Amino acid sequence: MPERIAMGGYTLIEDAPLAARNTLRVTARAALLAEVHDAAALPELFAYPAVRTGDILVLGEGSNVLFTGDYAGTVIAMATRGVEVLDDDGTRALIRVAAGERWDDFVRWSLGRGCAGLENLILIPGTVGAAPLQNIGAYGVEVGEFIDAVEAWDRESQRAVTLDRDACGFTYRDSIFKRAPDRWLITAVVFALPREHALRLDYAGVREELAAMGVTQPAPFHVAEAVLRLRTRKLPDPAVIGNAGSFFKNPVVPLAQTEALKREHPALPIWPGPQGHAKLSAAWLIEACGFKGLREGDAGISNRHALVLVNHGGARGAELWALAQRVQAGVRARFGVELEPEPRIL
Ligand code: FAD
Ligand code: EPU
């Protein structure tokens, strides 16, 4: 039985099991796990020499990590709670949410309060603290747009800092937090949510789903319901089969390469990208290589969505990673495109 030591604001657990703390349901252990219930306790936690100088991994719900083995350092699990309305002038609300709150709970709470903005981001697993890390996005919306500021413990300067939206460097599935892993422990996020805004209905399937629901004048909660239905149909549920959502990012490639690929493969879905680039559908590339539904032991590629790596039960992290690398090699050989994993590989 792992030893548990409860301190003010955090609990320390030695040799802690991680299988229930990652949605790929991979078996792994952490040499030390600190579950943080009060962000004010972080300075005291970092006063421990092993935590201050050793390797640390900040963990939320584990819905975007792959453990390929045990973790020899300290896992810091953010379990802080609290939602606070800082300001609401009737047109826009500023809301501060603790890092350990569940993202989907907050989305539903915000819609229930009459705030708009997050409706397209319903049903994304994970914590609020992890949302800025990869600037979570779905159905044509990225969270960065609705973030006013991010509060964090900066391990480099050893103090609490607040970064405004511009300082966060949000781009597709990226931010300064993702580029410098574990430098900033995000302790809270301040959202700026409008009461009304132009709904985003252009992502494939959203208008069709609203029409099927019989909705002609959609409100934010209708859009949330449409996205919820689409996601439930398309993506495997981690409660049923272990997965981490999209295992690869959609590759962003130069326009010249995009045009060549499009000439050869007219069906390849392509979206606009940053200056001189376009974004390709990784799922399409993977399916075209014949990997959809593939299974090697208990490691597999979902038969519902080609971008989702699944654990059929007892797959080890190293087996899942080996399969992911096989997919990368297949797409590289066939299309000359490099697929970058979206989850953090540990
Ligand atoms: P974790 O997996 O615990 O951690 C992810 C990364 O964030 C790690 O690098 C970790 O160190 C870091 N981190 C976590 N918390 C903090 C913190 N407080 N401070 C600093 N760093 C931290 N993502 C999308 O963008 N769009 C989707 O549509 C989407 N759909 C998904 C569907 C399914 C079924 C699944 C399983 C995942 C999906 N994801 C999606 C990925 C995932 O839900 C998000 O990346 C989510 O934000 C991860 O939250 P988490 O708390 O589980 O983070
Ligand atoms: N497609 C296939 N085969 C499949 C699935 C999809 O060819 O098995 C093609 C289809 O042409 C489809 C296109 O891919 O039209 C796009 O599919 P989807 O709408 O499911 O989106 P995605 O690009 O595969 C991205 C995000 C998801 C997010 C959805 C909806 C990335 C890496 N993934 O997936 O995010 O929910 O869009 O916006 O950007 C995640 O990050 O974990 C995640 C699930």
Side-chain angles (χ1 to χ4, degrees):
M1 185 70 183
E3 188 178 353
R4 285 179 84 96
I5 308 166
M7 313 293 285
Y10 59 96
T11 304
L12 295 177
I13 308 166
E14 286 181 344
D15 189 25
L18 298 172
R21 292 181 185 264
N22 73 93
T23 61
L24 272 163
R25 302 282 172 246
V26 163
T27 304
R29 301 188 85 81
L32 184 65
L33 184 132
E35 196 170 63
V36 176
H37 306 281
D38 180 358
L42 286 174
E44 185 185 313
L45 179 61
F46 278 103
Y48 282 93
V51 183
R52 192 174 60 242
T53 55
D55 286 340
I56 69 148
L57 164 69
V58 194
L59 195 64
E61 247 176 63
S63 64
N64 220 15
V65 291
L66 169 58
F67 290 105
T68 59
D70 291 337
Y71 190 73
T74 304
V75 169
I76 301 183
M78 295 301 285
T80 52
R81 294 280 184 273
V83 179
E84 188 187 352
V85 179
L86 302 177
D87 185 42
D88 189 347
D89 64 7
T91 58
R92 188 193 75 147
L94 267 188
I95 304 166
R96 182 177 180 277
V97 188
E101 289 286 347
R102 288 187 65 243
W103 171 257
D104 188 50
D105 289 350
F106 171 60
V107 171
R108 290 166 197 254
W109 179 91
S110 72
L111 291 166
R113 200 178 184 279
C115 295
L118 306 182
E119 55 276 2
N120 298 46
L121 301 177
I122 195 161
L123 214 64
I124 298 180
T127 55
V128 166
L133 199 98
Q134 72 159 8
N135 183 21
I136 55 169
Y139 292 87
V141 173
E142 289 179 340
V143 73
E145 187 184 337
F146 297 100
I147 290 179
D148 182 69
V150 171
E151 297 176 13
W153 175 261
D154 179 7
R155 287 177 74 209
E156 207 166 286
S157 63
Q158 293 186 43
R159 63 189 179 92
V161 294
T162 300
L163 291 93
D164 65 17
R165 182 194 303 139
D166 288 345
C168 296
F170 292 125
T171 56
Y172 166 65
R173 293 293 189 275
D174 206 16
S175 69
I176 53 158
F177 309 112
K178 192 155 180 176
R179 294 191 280 274
D182 303 317
R183 169 173 171 185
W184 288 283
L185 278 79
I186 297 171
T187 51
V189 182
V190 178
F191 295 89
L193 299 181
R195 184 73 50 183
E196 283 178 27
H197 79 141
L199 296 173
R200 310 286 171 74
L201 310 176
D202 290 339
Y203 195 92
V206 175
R207 287 184 201 278
E208 292 79 353
E209 198 62 35
L210 286 166
M213 287 159 55
V215 176
T216 47
Q217 303 233 298
F221 70 90
H222 292 120
V223 179
E225 177 63 26
V227 169
L228 192 133
R229 289 174 183 216
L230 285 164
R231 292 186 66 102
T232 308
R233 270 206 307 274
K234 282 191 192 182
L235 290 170
D237 178 355
V240 177
I241 184 164
N243 76 84
S246 301
F247 196 82
F248 298 102
K249 295 185 196 179
N250 284 325
V252 174
V253 301
L255 283 178
Q257 190 184 359
T258 310
E259 278 150 21
L261 281 166
K262 190 73 187 170
R263 270 195 302 277
E264 239 182 289
H265 312 283
L268 167 62
I270 295 174
W271 299 280
Q275 188 69 38
H277 291 75
K279 199 159 72 176
L280 313 179
S281 164
W284 190 94
L285 297 171
I286 294 168
E287 185 168 350
C289 290
F291 290 121
K292 191 171 180 176
L294 176 76
R295 180 167 177 172
E296 281 181 357
D298 271 353
I301 303 296
S302 171
N303 55 13
R304 291 173 71 177
H305 201 300
L307 204 41
V308 182
L309 193 72
V310 291
N311 181 356
H312 287 282
R316 287 183 295 118
E319 290 168 332
L320 289 162
W321 182 224
L323 180 58
Q325 287 173 300
R326 201 181 135 192
V327 170
Q328 277 177 317
V331 170
R332 190 185 300 125
R334 170 102 195 265
F335 297 104
V337 173
E338 202 55 45
L339 291 183
E340 194 188 326
E342 181 188 286
R344 180 154 174 201
I345 315 297
L346 292 149

